[in-house]
Amino acid sequence: MEFFGISGGEFLIILIVATIVLGPEAITGALRGFRKLVDAAKGFSARVREETSADFQASGLGDVDLSAFDMRGLDPRQMIREAVQEEMEAWAKQTGATPPKKPPERRTPNQR
């Protein structure tokens, strides 16, 4: 499980370093404060989710299934690459030149 891009092992190392730097007494207070921050973020997220759901229901969009919507296909860098490639192919076709090779498809950090 990752939290803010930090894995369990990395979190453990951070916790050990924090214990050494802050001391064992102060680390408990810091962890309580961190827990309060996480709980507040969860509560905020739940309220936003509830409000959004209520707004969708009120607008009649409650039946729309957004689970199939993939945001990775909307990478602006990939869109620009594709548009430039299409334009280069159109120019090559018009001039009779051989079209340039397509660059390898680049993966975003979120794609695995």
Side-chain angles (χ1 to χ4, degrees), residues 18-105:
T19 303
I20 292 170
V21 171
L22 296 176
E25 293 82 23
I27 195 68
T28 57
L31 287 175
R32 283 190 198 109
F34 181 71
R35 177 63 188 204
K36 287 180 183 179
L37 179 70
V38 169
D39 288 342
K42 283 183 181 179
F44 175 75
S45 176
R47 283 193 309 275
V48 169
R49 188 173 45 249
E50 289 173 7
E51 291 175 8
T52 304
S53 295
D55 289 343
F56 269 115
Q57 294 296 331
S59 66
L61 296 174
D63 299 333
V64 177
D65 181 25
L66 298 176
S67 64
F69 187 66
D70 187 14
M71 293 293 289
R72 291 178 291 196
L74 301 177
D75 182 16
R77 295 169 295 188
Q78 184 64 28
M79 290 177 171
I80 292 170
R81 277 188 215 101
E82 290 170 0
V84 168
Q85 183 67 31
E86 289 172 6
E87 193 63 29
M88 290 174 67
E89 289 172 358
W91 274 99
K93 185 178 180 181
Q94 188 176 7
T95 60
T98 59
K101 288 195 274 182
K102 288 187 178 184
E105 193 168 312

